[in-house]
Amino acid sequence: MVIKEANFITSAARAEQFLTPQKPMIAVCGKSNAGKSTLINMLAGRKKLAKTSGDPGRTRLVNYFDFGQFLLADLPGYGYAAVAKSEKEKWAKLLDDFFLQKEHIAHVFLLSDIRRDPSEDDVQMVSFLNYHIVPFTVILTKSDKLSRMKVKEQTRRVAQKYGLGEANVLAVSGVSGDGKDALLAKISQIIAN
């Protein structure tokens, strides 16, 4: 698969603003600061399509991107973010509302920093996706921060922790581009179904 063009479409703050996709839609979710925006920029081959920040909790809306053959929905991060409890509750409601419309979601990429073991929030998200029978792949980001041997070890460990096959866990780096080909192959598989 070759992504020729990627564009920001719109943001949604409430369920009634969610898009009804006319092509496969992949949702990107994960803890705050897991590397969601960096992953989107890597796929697009652009540095600033999705805004990145060193501060967790910058994505507060559902942001939609058109990648030609598919749409990508960037969801607010869960877990740590230095924001008010009321703001976190708003994000949680937005995520719940988004996943209530699971018939519009072709696949979910659940992002997690490869240097960290899965958190309670990550485990809860995997349980939620399994319970609601939403297909997903765990994407371990920031793989450039570890040696190749450590990347393999951590990929295996995360797969075991979630009870997944290793093919359902991909390690990528938005900095070096490692894992991009495997990710594009996974996207091709998703949109072919």
Side-chain angles (χ1 to χ4, degrees):
M1 156 173 271
V2 176
I3 294 172
K4 293 180 180 155
E5 195 172 331
N7 295 296
F8 171 75
I9 305 170
T10 190
S11 297
R14 298 181 306 283
E16 55 271 16
Q17 296 173 328
F18 293 158
L19 295 184
T20 303
Q22 305 303 310
K23 49 185 147 187
M25 182 171 67
I26 298 170
V28 178
C29 69
K31 285 180 65 171
S32 297
N33 225 23
K36 295 180 293 295
S37 298
T38 301
L39 181 98
I40 292 166
N41 290 335
M42 178 186 74
L43 284 174
R46 290 169 52 191
K47 291 200 184 306
K48 296 185 178 176
L49 179 63
K51 289 179 177 59
T52 59
S53 172
D55 300 325
R58 287 285 147 220
T59 303
R60 297 170 183 220
L61 308 167
V62 176
N63 294 311
Y64 292 94
F65 300 88
D66 187 345
F67 275 80
Q69 298 175 60
F70 65 98
L71 291 185
L72 204 144
D74 181 17
L75 306 179
Y78 53 78
Y80 168 82
V83 295
K85 187 178 176 201
S86 61
E87 187 71 16
K88 282 187 186 179
E89 287 168 358
K90 231 191 293 186
W91 296 350
K93 169 119 176 63
L94 193 64
L95 284 171
D96 285 346
D97 289 345
F98 183 84
F99 284 111
L100 280 175
Q101 299 183 14
K102 69 179 185 178
E103 68 277 5
H104 298 310
I105 305 167
H107 203 85
V108 173
F109 286 155
L110 172 58
L111 273 59
S112 182
D113 185 329
I114 196 166
R115 300 167 298 173
R116 317 264 183 270
D117 285 330
S119 68
E120 280 184 42
D121 289 327
D122 293 325
V123 172
Q124 191 175 359
M125 180 57 86
V126 167
S127 296
F128 177 88
L129 294 170
N130 279 325
Y131 179 81
H132 291 286
I133 315 170
V134 177
F136 69 95
T137 302
V138 175
I139 308 293
L140 297 177
T141 59
K142 308 179 187 185
S143 67
D144 57 290
K145 306 285 188 191
L146 299 179
S147 69
R148 290 200 185 282
M149 179 71 91
K150 289 280 187 204
V151 166
K152 284 183 179 169
E153 286 173 13
Q154 186 66 350
T155 300
R156 195 172 300 122
R157 187 164 56 231
V158 169
Q160 287 173 344
K161 172 109 179 173
Y162 290 137
L164 301 172
E166 284 183 48
N168 292 324
V169 181
L170 300 176
V172 302
S173 167
V175 174
S176 69
D178 285 348
K180 184 176 180 179
D181 290 342
L183 186 58
L184 289 171
K186 183 68 182 180
I187 293 169
S188 290
Q189 193 181 19
I190 293 164
I191 64 178
N193 290 336

